[in-house]
Amino acid sequence: MKRRIAIFVLLVVCTGMLAGCWSKKELTDLAFIIAVGLDKTKDGKYLASFQVVNPGNVAGATQRGGGAAGVPVSIYASTGDSLVEASRKASQKLSRLPYYAHTNLVVIGEEVAREGLDGVFDALERNNQFRTTARLVIAHGHSAQDVLTVLTPVDKISANQIIKTLEFSEMAWGQTMNVDVWQVIRDLSSPGRNPVVTGVKIEGNPTRGKRQTNVQSSVPDARVSLDGLALFKNGRLVKWVNGPTARGVVWVLDRIKQTNVTIPWNGKQEAIGFRTVRAKTDVEAEFKGGRPSISVHIGAEGDISEVLTMVHLNDPAVLLRLEKELDRHIENEVKQAIVSAQRVRTDVFGFGDAVHRAAPRLWKKIQNEWHDRYFPELDVTVTADIYIRRTGLRNKPYMEK
């Protein structure tokens, strides 16, 4: 009798565990949203753009050689007073249920970024489908909708191309950053740090970039490329930085993986190239007379990547002089980035977090005035220690004086 009861209870438990189809959704009923763009309309409402995958065309592009297939993505746009309202209104145009589990890119229009990101991410973070690991970029010079409508020739889904470009650019160039939504939310909620987000721009004709002919040419009419770093303060975009200044920001944030630094030599500009292979930045808070100061130390090693002047790389004294010149060059890049941030009174480096870790009681007193009073006058000491590990396969350049 007890055995029969036990078997019956086991069957009941198993039946309850197997009944998991109550919330099923057919794949043919879902619209897979790969990217979301957010702009502002003339009347102040949000314009949300949704990049939806056309599954048959993406699969067909692989089988038929890319350009012969149909358009791999479609853009649906709707307006609303909030992102949720705009998303719900998009259902009037979509024949499928919007599905955000595969959304891996969020593009914010520059106008929205300058007005402020307050409340923009609340709906995304609350949505149980959306993943905060989605990458975030700021549209620079064009709307977020224009960025999402450009068709790309190599990666059929343009959102994937932007994401891969972010990853490889940070890895190889060091003037951009691969930032996700969660990191920006964390920076927005931190009193000692402001967000830094990479910008994207359209090169060429955006109107022609929407057509399928854009992917059928070896020279597309429009391309999407990365364009500098956007510095934020109180959730608002306040400044764009590019080139060495942008790389200085990345140096301080300890996000340099590889980059190429060129220095002058023998009176010739950009004469010698240095490629970093390893880099580490340490930021420490110090206190002088009760006021905080910051020490930034950069350590890196790498190889000589290019020589365009006469120099004997087999001479240890010459290598030592090169290392000192690299030290000065990188220190100047970092100092320039710090001065640029101090001018707009935004601590994007996390110096406030360093002060908080070193002196929690002092930080509690000054955190409300940190960005506007203490950070602009902050004394920052920058030191670099660069080591040349290898000089390549040639010690003596073939160029003669």
Side-chain angles (χ1 to χ4, degrees):
M1 185 66 181
K2 292 182 179 180
R3 184 178 179 182
R4 293 180 179 178
I5 295 175
I7 293 174
F8 175 77
V9 172
L10 182 62
L11 290 174
V12 171
V13 172
C14 291
T15 302
M17 294 176 63
L18 292 174
C21 298
W22 60 274
S23 61
K24 72 176 182 68
K25 295 180 179 65
E26 299 293 341
L27 289 177
T28 54
D29 294 334
L30 298 178
F32 292 94
I33 297 176
I34 299 298
V36 175
L38 196 59
D39 296 300
K40 275 292 184 71
T41 61
K42 294 182 179 180
D43 57 355
K45 292 187 176 183
Y46 285 112
L47 172 63
S49 304
F50 306 95
Q51 188 179 90
V52 180
V53 174
N54 297 327
N57 292 342
V58 173
T62 303
Q63 298 173 4
R64 296 192 291 268
V71 179
V73 295
S74 296
I75 304 297
Y76 293 87
S78 60
T79 61
D81 294 325
S82 65
L83 184 57
V84 174
E85 180 180 342
S87 174
R88 294 291 180 177
K89 287 176 66 176
S91 62
Q92 296 176 328
K93 305 175 183 180
L94 275 167
S95 60
R96 299 187 179 189
L97 186 66
Y99 188 63
Y100 294 93
H102 294 276
T103 304
N104 51 22
L105 179 68
V106 177
V107 183
I108 304 294
E110 186 172 357
E111 183 180 356
V112 176
R114 290 193 180 278
E115 289 186 6
L117 300 180
D118 294 341
V120 170
F121 301 116
D122 186 82
L124 299 178
E125 190 180 21
R126 291 178 186 275
N127 192 321
N128 61 349
Q129 292 180 357
F130 184 83
R131 301 178 183 180
T132 53
T133 54
R135 306 305 197 276
L136 179 70
V137 292
I138 307 297
H140 191 187
H142 295 87
S143 66
Q145 186 179 52
D146 287 339
V147 171
L148 292 180
T149 53
V150 174
L151 299 177
T152 53
V154 178
D155 295 289
K156 299 307 171 185
I157 300 175
S158 60
N160 291 342
Q161 190 225 9
I162 295 175
I163 293 170
K164 291 181 180 179
T165 305
L166 283 168
E167 294 173 354
F168 295 137
S169 178
E170 183 182 36
M171 183 184 302
W173 187 225
Q175 294 186 9
T176 58
M177 291 173 52
N178 187 15
V179 179
D180 58 31
V181 171
W182 170 241
Q183 183 175 343
V184 173
I185 292 174
R186 186 171 53 193
D187 292 345
L188 287 171
S189 60
S190 172
R193 182 190 297 268
N194 278 319
V196 181
V197 185
T198 299
V200 293
K201 67 178 181 179
I202 300 175
E203 297 179 351
N205 190 324
T207 303
R208 294 184 179 181
K210 303 175 184 179
R211 302 170 183 171
Q212 193 174 3
T213 54
N214 194 56
V215 301
Q216 296 174 335
S217 172
S218 60
V219 183
D221 294 314
R223 296 178 185 268
V224 177
S225 62
L226 305 186
D227 185 36
L229 295 177
L231 309 185
F232 284 79
K233 179 184 178 182
N234 298 328
R236 291 178 173 83
L237 193 160
V238 294
K239 186 178 181 63
W240 287 98
V241 292
N242 294 274
T245 304
R247 183 164 56 190
V249 174
V250 182
W251 276 115
V252 179
L253 294 175
D254 196 21
R255 296 288 294 266
I256 289 289
K257 295 179 175 62
Q258 291 186 11
T259 189
N260 193 77
V261 180
T262 56
I263 59 174
W265 195 256
N266 292 336
K268 184 175 182 179
Q269 296 297 318
E270 300 182 353
I272 297 178
F274 173 78
R275 181 179 64 89
T276 62
V277 294
R278 276 178 290 274
K280 175 64 178 175
T281 301
D282 295 314
V283 176
E284 296 182 358
E286 301 173 349
F287 301 91
K288 301 176 182 178
R291 293 185 65 88
S293 62
I294 295 294
S295 173
V296 178
H297 177 73
I298 298 169
E301 62 180 64
D303 312 329
I304 297 296
S305 60
E306 189 177 23
V307 176
L308 301 178
T309 187
M310 191 61 190
V311 58
H312 295 281
L313 297 177
N314 55 352
D315 186 349
V318 172
L319 292 179
L320 182 60
R321 288 171 54 200
L322 285 172
E323 290 173 349
K324 296 300 182 182
E325 183 62 30
L326 285 167
D327 291 346
R328 287 191 292 268
H329 188 88
I330 293 174
E331 288 171 3
N332 289 335
E333 281 190 357
V334 173
K335 290 176 182 178
Q336 183 179 356
I338 294 173
V339 169
S340 296
Q342 287 179 323
R343 286 174 179 171
V344 291
R345 301 173 181 268
T346 176
D347 180 6
V348 296
F349 309 107
F351 291 161
D353 288 343
V355 174
H356 185 196
R357 291 192 298 267
R361 292 183 179 179
L362 175 62
W363 174 250
K364 187 174 292 186
K365 297 178 181 179
I366 66 176
Q367 63 176 347
N368 294 332
E369 299 179 297
W370 174 252
H371 294 282
D372 292 318
R373 178 181 174 185
Y374 290 93
F375 175 73
E377 302 176 357
L378 187 66
D379 182 19
V380 183
T381 302
V382 181
T383 57
D385 186 11
I386 309 302
Y387 178 69
I388 298 176
R389 177 68 68 179
R390 288 168 289 271
T391 60
L393 299 179
R394 176 185 287 269
N395 287 328
K396 183 178 180 181
Y398 62 84
M399 295 90 69
E400 297 291 342
K401 289 185 179 180

